[in-house]
Amino acid sequence: MNLLRKTDYDVVVVGGGHAGCEAALACARLGCRTMLAVMNFDSIGAMSCNPAIGGLAKGHLVKEIDALGGEMAKNIDATAIQFRRLNTSKGPAVWSSRAQADQLRYRLRMKEVLEHQENLEIRQTVIDAILTDGPEQRVCGVVTSLDETFSVSAVVVATGTFLRGLIHIGLKQFPAGRMGDPPSTRLAQWFKETGFAMGRMKTGTPARLDGRTIDYSGLEAQHGDLPPHYFSFSTPAGEPALAQLPCHVTYT
C-alpha cells in the first residue's frame, strides 16, 4: 500500500456485510483513511440468511477475528437471544458454539459501531469500476454509479452474493443481491472485462415464519445454555444482555 501518494482514501471497502464491516473496522483502527461503500445504510450488518453466528468452522473463525480485534464476537454477545454449544454428545473435538441473534439489534449495533469509528467514512454509493495505473496495474481509484471518482491506494471487495446476483424461488429467477436489494452488475462486468474468472456464490435462505402463526404444542423445545458460552474473549461472564428464547424442533 503506497501511503506516500496523496489520495482521497487509503482504503475503500466495497460491501457492508460481515466481511466488509470487519475489513473497514480493521483498516480504520490501523489508522488508514477508510471509506465503506454500501448500497443502503440500513442494510449494514444485515443477516441475510440464518440469523445466527457460529457452528463448527464459523465459530472458530469468529473467535480468531475476535483475537485480532474484530467486532463480530462482541456484536453477537450483545445481541444474542440464544447461546448453545453444539455436538456435546460427541467428542470435544467437534464441540462448537452457536448463538441465535436478534436480527434487528445485531444490524443496528454493528452500524452504530461503524458510525463512531475514527478514520472511517460510510458512503451510500455503488462502486461500478476500479481504476488502475502503471505497468503493474496498481489500484489507484474507484468510480461510482454517479460517475464520482475517488483516488485510493487499496480496494477490498466484500460484495458477497451481490456481484451479478441472481435469486431463485421455485422455477422463477430474477437479478438481485438479496431479496429487496439490486445486484452489482457493472462491477461484475468490470471484473470480467479485466480478465478475472467469474463465478457465482451460492447461498440458501430459509423461510421466514411469523411466530404468532405457529402451533408450538407439538414441537420439542430446545433451550440454550445458561450460563452462556460467549464468543468474545472480552465479554465478562454473567447473564446475557437480552432475554433468552428457546428454539423449537420438528421433523419431516
Side-chain angles (χ1 to χ4, degrees):
M1 184 186 301
N2 181 12
L3 296 182
L4 298 178
R5 182 181 64 187
K6 178 61 178 177
T7 59
D8 294 319
Y9 300 98
D10 297 322
V11 183
V12 168
V13 178
V14 186
H18 293 311
C21 289
E22 296 293 353
L25 288 170
C27 292
R29 288 168 177 173
L30 287 170
C32 298
R33 290 170 294 125
T34 306
M35 184 236 282
L36 175 61
V38 297
M39 287 184 173
N40 186 344
F41 281 128
D42 293 328
S43 297
I44 292 172
M47 308 181 86
S48 306
C49 302
N50 184 24
I53 296 293
L56 259 179
K58 291 180 287 185
H60 183 92
L61 178 62
V62 173
K63 288 183 175 291
E64 288 188 337
I65 291 171
D66 183 63
L68 292 169
E71 196 65 31
M72 183 183 289
K74 298 181 182 69
N75 209 52
I76 187 59
D77 286 350
T79 60
I81 55 176
Q82 188 193 86
F83 293 90
R84 186 175 175 85
R85 181 158 287 181
L86 308 179
N87 301 326
T88 54
S89 63
K90 303 174 183 177
V94 295
W95 292 358
S96 64
S97 297
R98 184 205 65 203
Q100 303 285 353
D102 181 310
Q103 263 184 311
L104 177 61
R105 284 188 171 93
Y106 185 96
R107 173 173 62 78
L108 292 178
R109 184 188 180 281
M110 184 63 81
K111 180 171 178 281
E112 183 179 13
V113 169
L114 291 162
E115 289 172 339
H116 289 84
Q117 176 60 51
E118 187 179 359
N119 299 319
L120 178 59
E121 180 179 337
I122 307 171
R123 280 182 175 266
Q124 184 166 288
T125 188
V126 177
I127 302 299
D128 278 354
I130 300 172
L131 302 176
T132 59
D133 65 1
E136 295 181 344
Q137 292 296 288
R138 290 182 177 273
V139 167
C140 65
V142 293
V143 180
T144 75
S145 58
L146 297 177
D147 290 331
E148 302 167 297
T149 300
F150 298 101
S151 59
V152 63
S153 296
V155 176
V156 177
V157 179
T159 50
T161 59
F162 277 67
L163 279 186
R164 206 173 56 181
L166 192 67
I167 281 183
H168 302 262
I169 300 179
L171 299 178
K172 179 73 173 177
Q173 301 176 357
F174 53 92
R178 61 174 161 240
M179 185 62 78
D181 287 311
S184 177
T185 53
R186 290 188 179 180
L187 185 58
Q189 186 64 28
W190 179 89
F191 276 112
K192 184 177 181 180
E193 293 173 352
T194 309
F196 286 88
M198 293 294 294
R200 180 174 286 120
M201 299 179 70
K202 166 67 175 69
T203 184
T205 302
R208 306 294 192 213
L209 303 177
D210 186 338
R212 296 168 298 182
T213 68
I214 299 173
D215 178 5
Y216 293 96
S217 61
L219 305 183
E220 173 190 343
Q222 188 179 76
H223 295 275
D225 298 331
L226 288 175
H229 299 280
Y230 291 120
F231 277 91
S232 177
F233 297 103
S234 64
T235 302
E239 292 295 316
L242 300 181
Q244 300 295 281
L245 302 176
C247 292
H248 289 82
V249 182
T250 186
Y251 302 92
T252 58

